[in-house]
Short mmCIF file of all heavy atoms in Angstrom, two decimals:
data_model
loop_
_atom_site.label_atom_id
_atom_site.label_comp_id
_atom_site.label_asym_id
_atom_site.label_seq_id
_atom_site.Cartn_x
_atom_site.Cartn_y
_atom_site.Cartn_z
N ASN A 28 -35.23 -55.67 24.24
CA ASN A 28 -35.47 -55.12 22.89
C ASN A 28 -36.93 -54.73 22.71
O ASN A 28 -37.83 -55.40 23.23
CB ASN A 28 -35.11 -56.17 21.84
CG ASN A 28 -33.62 -56.35 21.73
OD1 ASN A 28 -32.99 -56.98 22.59
ND2 ASN A 28 -33.02 -55.79 20.71
N GLN A 52 -33.73 -51.21 24.39
CA GLN A 52 -32.86 -51.14 23.21
C GLN A 52 -33.60 -51.48 21.92
O GLN A 52 -34.55 -52.25 21.90
CB GLN A 52 -31.62 -52.03 23.39
CG GLN A 52 -31.89 -53.50 23.61
CD GLN A 52 -30.62 -54.28 23.90
OE1 GLN A 52 -29.55 -53.71 24.14
NE2 GLN A 52 -30.71 -55.60 23.88
N ASP A 87 -29.05 -51.16 19.65
CA ASP A 87 -28.50 -52.52 19.72
C ASP A 87 -27.82 -52.83 18.38
O ASP A 87 -28.38 -52.57 17.31
CB ASP A 87 -29.66 -53.49 19.97
CG ASP A 87 -29.21 -54.89 20.34
OD1 ASP A 87 -28.06 -55.05 20.78
OD2 ASP A 87 -30.03 -55.83 20.20
N HIS A 88 -26.62 -53.38 18.42
CA HIS A 88 -25.89 -53.81 17.22
C HIS A 88 -25.85 -52.79 16.08
O HIS A 88 -26.28 -53.07 14.96
CB HIS A 88 -26.45 -55.14 16.68
CG HIS A 88 -26.16 -56.29 17.58
ND1 HIS A 88 -24.90 -56.84 17.70
CD2 HIS A 88 -26.95 -56.97 18.43
CE1 HIS A 88 -24.94 -57.81 18.58
NE2 HIS A 88 -26.17 -57.91 19.05
N GLU A 154 -29.89 -62.11 14.40
CA GLU A 154 -31.05 -61.42 14.98
C GLU A 154 -31.41 -60.25 14.09
O GLU A 154 -30.56 -59.42 13.82
CB GLU A 154 -30.72 -60.93 16.41
CG GLU A 154 -31.96 -60.43 17.13
CD GLU A 154 -31.63 -59.63 18.36
OE1 GLU A 154 -30.57 -58.99 18.41
OE2 GLU A 154 -32.47 -59.61 19.28
N SER A 192 -25.68 -67.31 21.62
CA SER A 192 -26.04 -66.85 20.28
C SER A 192 -27.44 -66.25 20.35
O SER A 192 -28.21 -66.52 21.28
CB SER A 192 -26.00 -68.01 19.29
OG SER A 192 -26.72 -69.10 19.79
N HIS A 193 -27.76 -65.44 19.36
CA HIS A 193 -29.08 -64.82 19.34
C HIS A 193 -30.14 -65.84 18.92
O HIS A 193 -29.86 -66.79 18.23
CB HIS A 193 -29.09 -63.65 18.33
CG HIS A 193 -28.21 -62.51 18.76
ND1 HIS A 193 -27.17 -62.05 18.00
CD2 HIS A 193 -28.24 -61.73 19.87
CE1 HIS A 193 -26.59 -61.03 18.63
NE2 HIS A 193 -27.22 -60.82 19.76
N GLY A 194 -31.37 -65.57 19.33
CA GLY A 194 -32.50 -66.37 18.86
C GLY A 194 -32.86 -67.52 19.80
O GLY A 194 -32.27 -67.69 20.88
N LYS A 197 -30.28 -71.93 20.68
CA LYS A 197 -28.91 -71.69 21.16
C LYS A 197 -28.20 -73.01 21.39
O LYS A 197 -27.07 -73.20 20.98
CB LYS A 197 -28.96 -70.91 22.48
CG LYS A 197 -29.65 -69.55 22.35
CD LYS A 197 -29.58 -68.80 23.66
CE LYS A 197 -30.53 -67.62 23.71
NZ LYS A 197 -30.34 -66.65 22.64
N HIS A 227 -24.66 -60.90 25.53
CA HIS A 227 -25.72 -60.94 24.51
C HIS A 227 -26.31 -62.35 24.47
O HIS A 227 -25.79 -63.25 25.10
CB HIS A 227 -25.13 -60.61 23.13
CG HIS A 227 -24.96 -59.14 22.91
ND1 HIS A 227 -25.70 -58.44 21.99
CD2 HIS A 227 -24.15 -58.24 23.50
CE1 HIS A 227 -25.35 -57.17 22.03
NE2 HIS A 227 -24.40 -57.01 22.93
N GLY A 228 -27.38 -62.48 23.70
CA GLY A 228 -27.96 -63.81 23.50
C GLY A 228 -28.30 -64.48 24.81
O GLY A 228 -28.06 -65.68 24.99
N SER A 229 -28.87 -63.71 25.76
CA SER A 229 -29.01 -64.25 27.11
C SER A 229 -30.43 -64.65 27.47
O SER A 229 -30.77 -64.72 28.66
CB SER A 229 -28.48 -63.23 28.12
OG SER A 229 -27.08 -63.15 27.99
N SER A 230 -31.25 -64.90 26.48
CA SER A 230 -32.57 -65.43 26.80
C SER A 230 -32.41 -66.85 27.35
O SER A 230 -31.53 -67.59 26.92
CB SER A 230 -33.48 -65.45 25.56
OG SER A 230 -34.08 -64.19 25.39
N ASN A 270 -28.58 -58.87 27.65
CA ASN A 270 -29.53 -58.65 26.55
C ASN A 270 -30.56 -59.78 26.46
O ASN A 270 -30.19 -60.95 26.35
CB ASN A 270 -28.78 -58.60 25.23
CG ASN A 270 -28.05 -57.30 25.04
OD1 ASN A 270 -27.85 -56.53 25.98
ND2 ASN A 270 -27.66 -57.02 23.81
N VAL A 271 -31.82 -59.38 26.46
CA VAL A 271 -32.91 -60.36 26.38
C VAL A 271 -33.95 -59.88 25.36
O VAL A 271 -34.49 -58.79 25.50
CB VAL A 271 -33.58 -60.54 27.77
CG1 VAL A 271 -34.79 -61.47 27.66
CG2 VAL A 271 -32.59 -61.07 28.80
N ASP A 272 -34.21 -60.70 24.38
CA ASP A 272 -35.23 -60.41 23.39
C ASP A 272 -36.12 -61.64 23.16
O ASP A 272 -37.35 -61.58 23.29
CB ASP A 272 -34.53 -60.00 22.06
CG ASP A 272 -35.50 -59.53 21.01
OD1 ASP A 272 -36.71 -59.43 21.30
OD2 ASP A 272 -35.07 -59.25 19.88
N THR A 273 -35.48 -62.76 22.87
CA THR A 273 -36.23 -63.97 22.48
C THR A 273 -37.28 -64.39 23.52
O THR A 273 -38.41 -64.73 23.15
CB THR A 273 -35.24 -65.13 22.23
OG1 THR A 273 -34.42 -64.78 21.12
CG2 THR A 273 -35.95 -66.43 21.94
N ASP A 274 -36.95 -64.35 24.80
CA ASP A 274 -37.92 -64.78 25.82
C ASP A 274 -39.19 -63.94 25.73
O ASP A 274 -40.31 -64.47 25.90
CB ASP A 274 -37.32 -64.64 27.24
CG ASP A 274 -36.32 -65.75 27.54
OD1 ASP A 274 -36.18 -66.67 26.72
OD2 ASP A 274 -35.67 -65.68 28.61
P1 LIG B 429 -31.70 -63.35 22.80
O1 LIG B 429 -32.04 -63.75 21.38
O2 LIG B 429 -31.06 -64.47 23.55
O3 LIG B 429 -32.86 -62.79 23.52
O4 LIG B 429 -30.60 -62.20 22.71
C1 LIG B 429 -30.95 -60.88 22.44
C2 LIG B 429 -29.75 -60.04 22.20
O5 LIG B 429 -28.63 -60.38 22.52
C3 LIG B 429 -29.97 -58.72 21.56
O6 LIG B 429 -28.78 -58.09 21.22
#
Side-chain angles (χ1 to χ4, degrees):
N28 288 76
Q52 59 185 11
D87 192 20
H88 291 287
E154 190 195 29
S192 50
H193 293 121
K197 301 183 195 303
H227 279 248
S229 291
S230 276
N270 285 16
V271 175
D272 186 4
T273 296
D274 284 354

